[in-house]
C-alpha cells in the first residue's frame, strides 16, 4: 500500500468515491442508478427498500443512445407502487452517475448525453452532484451511525439484531453523541455492551 495525496478538489473521498464500491454496485459494463441507490440505502443508511412487485418492467438498455438515463428510468415514476420506493432510490443512484461502471470519473455518457447527477431527497433537500449528496448525508448522520452500530453488533455477536436489541443500540448511539466519539469509541461500546458480553 502507498499513501496517495488527492488533488483538491477531488471527486474521490469517502465510501461513495471508492472505485471498489462503485464497481461492486455496477455490472462491469453499465451503471444502474437503481442498483447504486439501493446499495446506499441498504449498506449505508440501513433502510433497504421493499422488493419490487413481481410484474414490474425493468428498463432495457437504450442501445441507440436516444434516451438519457433519466428518461429511461422515468417509467418507474409513472406507477404508484414503484414511485414510492423510487423517490428514495433514484436520487441517490443518479448522484453516482458521474462514475462509470468501473468507478472512473465521467461528465458524459458514451452516447454523448451529459451526466446529470442532481437530485432531490424525499425530505425536499436538493443537491447538484455527488459532493452535494455527501454534504447532505453528513448533515444527517443518525441513519448512518445507527446502521454502522447495528452492523458492528451483528458482526460482533454473530447474529442479526432484533427488536429486543434496539434499546442497547439506542444507548450506544446516545453515548456516542454525548462523547462525540469516533469509530474506535464505537467499537469499545459494542464490545462492552450487554448484548456482546452475554452472547
Amino acid at each position: 500500500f502507498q499513501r496517495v495525496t488527492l488533488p483538491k478538489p477531488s471527486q474521490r473521498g469517502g465510501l461513495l468515491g471508492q472505485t471498489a464500491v462503485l464497481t461492486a454496485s455496477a455490472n462491469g459494463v453499465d451503471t444502474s442508478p437503481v442498483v447504486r441507490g439501493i446499495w446506499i440505502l441498504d449498506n449505508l443508511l440501513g433502510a433497504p427498500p421493499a422488493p419490487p412487485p413481481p410484474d414490474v418492467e425493468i428498463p432495457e438498455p437504450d442501445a441507440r443512445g436516444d434516451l438519457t438515463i433519466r428518461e429511461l428510468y422515468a417509467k418507474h415514476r409513472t406507477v404508484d407502487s414503484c414511485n414510492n420506493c423510487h423517490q428514495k432510490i433514484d436520487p441517490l443512484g443518479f448522484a453516482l452517475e458521474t462514475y462509470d461502471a468501473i468507478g472512473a470519473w465521467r461528465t458524459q455518457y458514451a452516447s454523448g448525453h451529459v451526466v446529470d447527477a442532481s437530485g432531490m431527497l424525499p425530505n425536499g433537500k436538493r443537491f447538484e452532484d455527488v459532493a452535494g449528496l455527501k454534504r447532505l448525508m453528513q448533515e444527517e448522520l443518525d441513519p448512518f451511525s445507527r446502521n454502522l452500530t447495528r452492523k458492528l453488533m451483528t458482526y460482533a455477536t454473530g447474529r442479526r439484531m432484533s427488536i429486543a436489541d434496539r434499546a442497547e443500540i439506542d444507548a450506544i448511539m446516545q453515548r456516542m453523541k454525548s462523547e462525540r466519539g469516533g469509530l474506535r469509541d464505537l467499537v469499545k461500546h459494542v464490545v462492552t455492551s450487554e448484548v456482546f458480553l452475554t452472547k
Side-chain angles (χ1 to χ4, degrees):
F1 288 102
Q2 180 180 345
R3 187 179 180 92
V4 175
T5 303
L6 296 174
K8 298 225 188 250
S10 172
Q11 298 91 11
R12 301 293 170 194
L15 289 172
L16 297 183
Q18 286 189 5
T19 55
V21 168
L22 295 160
T23 303
S25 59
N27 67 10
V29 178
D30 294 317
T31 58
S32 168
V34 173
V35 172
R36 284 181 169 172
I38 290 172
W39 189 91
I40 293 172
L41 285 170
D42 190 19
N43 293 289
L44 298 185
L45 303 178
D55 58 344
V56 70
E57 288 183 34
I58 298 171
E60 291 293 324
D62 178 25
R64 294 180 312 198
D66 294 337
L67 300 174
T68 68
I69 194 82
R70 287 179 183 266
E71 291 168 338
L72 193 60
Y73 281 90
K75 289 182 183 179
H76 293 300
R77 300 297 183 121
T78 61
V79 181
D80 285 340
S81 61
C82 294
N83 190 34
N84 291 336
C85 289
H86 282 276
Q87 281 183 319
K88 300 172 193 163
I89 297 169
D90 293 354
L92 301 173
F94 284 132
L96 299 183
E97 279 297 289
T98 45
Y99 299 103
D100 69 11
I102 60 167
W105 184 258
R106 65 181 175 189
T107 56
Q108 67 179 39
Y109 297 101
S111 64
H113 292 293
V114 174
V115 174
D116 178 4
S118 65
M120 183 175 74
L121 299 178
N123 62 11
K125 293 187 177 180
R126 295 189 164 278
F127 58 88
E128 293 303 314
D129 52 22
V130 67
L133 175 62
K134 287 179 185 179
R135 277 192 296 277
L136 291 178
M137 289 176 74
Q138 287 174 337
E139 288 174 10
E140 186 60 46
L141 276 178
D142 277 357
F144 174 79
S145 299
R146 177 171 299 282
N147 189 46
L148 180 59
T149 302
R150 184 180 54 77
K151 285 183 180 283
L152 277 176
M153 290 187 72
T154 297
Y155 179 77
T157 61
R159 67 169 176 83
R160 290 183 185 271
M161 295 293 102
S162 68
I163 293 173
D165 301 310
R166 189 175 293 168
E168 188 79 42
I169 292 171
D170 290 344
I172 291 173
M173 293 278 298
Q174 194 58 44
R175 272 183 253 142
M176 289 292 292
K177 276 186 184 177
S178 64
E179 296 170 1
R180 299 179 60 90
L183 183 59
R184 183 181 301 214
D185 302 300
L186 177 57
V187 171
K188 181 186 76 175
H189 289 310
V190 166
V191 298
T192 57
S193 70
E194 195 67 24
V195 171
F196 179 78
L197 294 175
T198 59
K199 70 176 184 140

